[in-house]
Amino acid sequence: MRIVFRPHIDGTKNIPTTGPCIIAANHLSFSDHVFIALAVKRPVTFIGKAERLTGKGVKGRLAACFFRAIGLVPVERDGGHGGVAALQLAERVLGEGKIFGIHPEGTRTHDGRLYRARTGVGYLALLTGAPVIPCGLIGTEKVQPPGTLMFRPHRFRLRFGAPMDFSEHRGRSGEARLRRQVADQVMHEIAVLSGQEYVDMYATKAKALATVSE
């Protein structure tokens, strides 16, 4: 990664050397979680589509091995039981003192702007007391543009911000308003790091509206 793409990586000192933490990042490219996992010295667990680890044939098996190696854990994305399973998995990872990575927007941006967070990041921070490390990715969509599988040799940037501590509210994960407040604070810090324009709308809704207008 460093030889081919020559990325600028800033703020890795903000990532705790031990103990649990949540890395919360914006989402520009399919491979954002790959770049984050390779940039951080400690293993980072991400949740991914189950089909990524169940591919058939030589290509599918090689891809599955790669995703497992970088810490991608499969979860069915059905919006119901899959979402609950994802949060349970994240809780277990953090409970083991490890790093859990999450893209709070829930999906990639379709127009380069930063969209409203789902409240899962707030739920996990309040439930576990783990600090949140905001991460801003810049230019990864040029390395692997949406809809493509091939990588392009283009420089990008990863910026890790200062830890956000919500431990004083630990145990209050059941409070919807507080979950939203935490999620919004995290997105504000990500916007500062990434330099993106923030849109107070879920990315899925914005994509749907853009599709209709087309």
Side-chain angles (χ1 to χ4, degrees), residues 176-194:
R177 183 175 296 181
L178 188 56
R179 292 197 303 268
R180 167 50 57 197
Q181 181 180 336
V182 170
D184 288 346
Q185 289 181 28
V186 170
M187 294 311 284
H188 172 77
E189 294 302 315
I190 292 175
V192 171
L193 293 167
S194 68

Side-chain angles (χ1 to χ4, degrees), residues 28-29 32 35 137-145 156-157:
L28 302 172
S29 168
D32 288 338
F35 296 133
L137 296 111
I138 304 169
T140 56
E141 78 283 5
K142 296 176 182 178
V143 176
Q144 189 183 26
F156 63 90
R157 189 168 190 172

Side-chain angles (χ1 to χ4, degrees), residues 2-206:
R2 293 181 184 273
I3 293 174
V4 175
F5 303 114
R6 298 178 297 127
H8 295 286
I9 303 174
D10 306 315
T12 53
K13 64 180 182 301
N14 289 319
I15 301 172
T17 56
T18 60
C21 72
I22 302 164
I23 293 180
N26 56 327
H27 204 0
L28 302 172
S29 168
F30 171 83
S31 295
D32 288 338
H33 60 281
V34 176
F35 296 133
I36 292 172
L38 293 175
V40 178
K41 292 182 179 180
R42 295 174 59 192
V44 183
T45 298
F46 278 91
I47 287 172
K49 296 178 182 179
E51 55 265 34
R52 291 185 188 176
L53 285 86
T54 57
K56 298 180 180 180
V58 175
K59 184 177 179 180
R61 288 195 294 272
L62 287 174
C65 287
F66 172 74
F67 286 125
R68 288 193 183 96
I70 63 168
L72 192 73
V73 177
V75 170
E76 295 292 344
R77 294 176 60 181
D78 58 6
H81 295 296
V84 174
L87 290 175
Q88 290 175 339
L89 172 64
E91 181 185 357
R92 188 181 75 205
V93 169
L94 294 168
E96 293 172 354
K98 300 177 181 178
I99 300 178
F100 183 78
I102 188 172
H103 296 293
E105 292 167 280
T107 186
R108 284 169 288 170
T109 176
H110 68 288
D111 59 6
R113 296 187 293 177
L114 185 70
Y115 286 89
R116 195 181 199 212
R118 302 289 177 173
T119 58
V121 65
Y123 173 84
L124 290 174
L126 295 170
L127 179 69
T128 66
V132 179
I133 313 298
C135 174
L137 296 111
I138 304 169
T140 56
E141 78 283 5
K142 296 176 182 178
V143 176
Q144 189 183 26
T148 65
L149 296 177
M150 299 300 294
F151 289 95
R152 299 177 182 178
H154 193 287
R155 299 193 81 171
F156 63 90
R157 189 168 190 172
L158 278 170
R159 302 180 68 192
F160 296 98
M164 303 178 70
D165 184 5
F166 302 102
S167 59
E168 64 178 300
H169 303 299
R170 184 173 184 177
R172 297 174 61 186
S173 58
E175 299 180 29
R177 183 175 296 181
L178 188 56
R179 292 197 303 268
R180 167 50 57 197
Q181 181 180 336
V182 170
D184 288 346
Q185 289 181 28
V186 170
M187 294 311 284
H188 172 77
E189 294 302 315
I190 292 175
V192 171
L193 293 167
S194 68
Q196 291 170 280
E197 176 187 350
Y198 178 73
V199 181
D200 193 19
M201 178 189 300
Y202 291 126
T204 49
K205 183 177 180 180

